[in-house]
Coordinates of all heavy atoms in Angstrom, one line a residue:
G12 N -0.5 -7.6 31.8 CA 0.4 -8.0 33.0 C 1.5 -7.0 33.0 O 1.8 -6.5 34.1
L13 N 2.1 -6.6 32.0 CA 3.2 -5.7 31.8 C 2.7 -4.2 32.4 O 3.4 -3.6 33.2 CB 3.6 -5.5 30.4 CG 4.9 -4.7 30.3 CD1 6.1 -5.6 30.5 CD2 5.0 -4.3 28.8
V14 N 1.6 -3.9 31.9 CA 1.0 -2.5 32.3 C 0.7 -2.5 33.7 O 1.0 -1.5 34.5 CB -0.3 -2.1 31.5 CG1 -1.0 -0.9 32.0 CG2 0.2 -1.9 30.0
A15 N 0.0 -3.6 34.3 CA -0.3 -3.7 35.7 C 0.9 -3.6 36.5 O 0.9 -2.9 37.6 CB -1.1 -4.9 35.9
D16 N 2.0 -4.3 36.2 CA 3.2 -4.2 36.9 C 3.8 -2.8 37.0 O 4.2 -2.4 38.0 CB 4.3 -5.2 36.3 CG 4.0 -6.6 36.6 OD1 3.1 -6.9 37.4 OD2 4.7 -7.5 36.0
C17 N 3.8 -2.1 35.8 CA 4.4 -0.8 35.8 C 3.6 0.1 36.5 O 4.0 1.0 37.3 CB 4.5 -0.4 34.2 SG 5.8 -1.1 33.3
A18 N 2.3 0.0 36.5 CA 1.4 0.9 37.2 C 1.6 0.7 38.7 O 1.6 1.7 39.4 CB -0.1 0.7 36.7
A19 N 1.7 -0.5 39.1 CA 1.9 -0.7 40.5 C 3.2 0.0 41.0 O 3.2 0.5 42.1 CB 1.9 -2.2 40.8
R20 N 4.2 -0.2 40.2 CA 5.5 0.4 40.5 C 5.4 1.9 40.6 O 6.1 2.6 41.4 CB 6.6 0.0 39.5 CG 7.6 -1.1 39.9 CD 8.8 -1.1 39.2 NE 8.7 -1.1 37.7 CZ 8.6 -2.1 37.1 NH1 8.4 -3.3 37.6 NH2 8.4 -2.0 35.7
E21 N 4.7 2.5 39.7 CA 4.6 4.0 39.7 C 3.4 4.6 40.5 O 3.2 5.8 40.4 CB 4.5 4.4 38.2 CG 5.8 4.0 37.4 CD 5.7 4.5 35.9 OE1 5.0 5.4 35.6 OE2 6.4 3.7 35.1
G22 N 2.8 3.7 41.1 CA 1.6 4.1 42.1 C 0.4 4.7 41.3 O -0.3 5.5 41.8
I23 N 0.2 4.1 40.1 CA -1.0 4.5 39.3 C -2.1 3.6 39.6 O -2.0 2.4 39.6 CB -0.6 4.5 37.8 CG1 0.4 5.6 37.4 CG2 -1.8 4.5 36.9 CD1 1.0 5.5 36.1
G24 N -3.2 4.2 40.0 CA -4.4 3.4 40.4 C -5.3 3.0 39.4 O -6.1 2.0 39.5
R25 N -5.3 3.7 38.3 CA -6.2 3.3 37.2 C -5.5 3.7 35.8 O -5.1 4.9 35.7 CB -7.5 4.2 37.3 CG -8.7 3.5 36.6 CD -10.0 4.3 37.0 NE -10.1 5.6 36.3 CZ -10.6 5.8 35.0 NH1 -11.0 4.8 34.4 NH2 -10.6 7.0 34.6

Side-chain angles (χ1 to χ4, degrees):
L13 191 81
V14 168
D16 284 352
C17 290
R20 255 201 313 272
E21 295 179 25
I23 291 167
R25 199 171 75 86

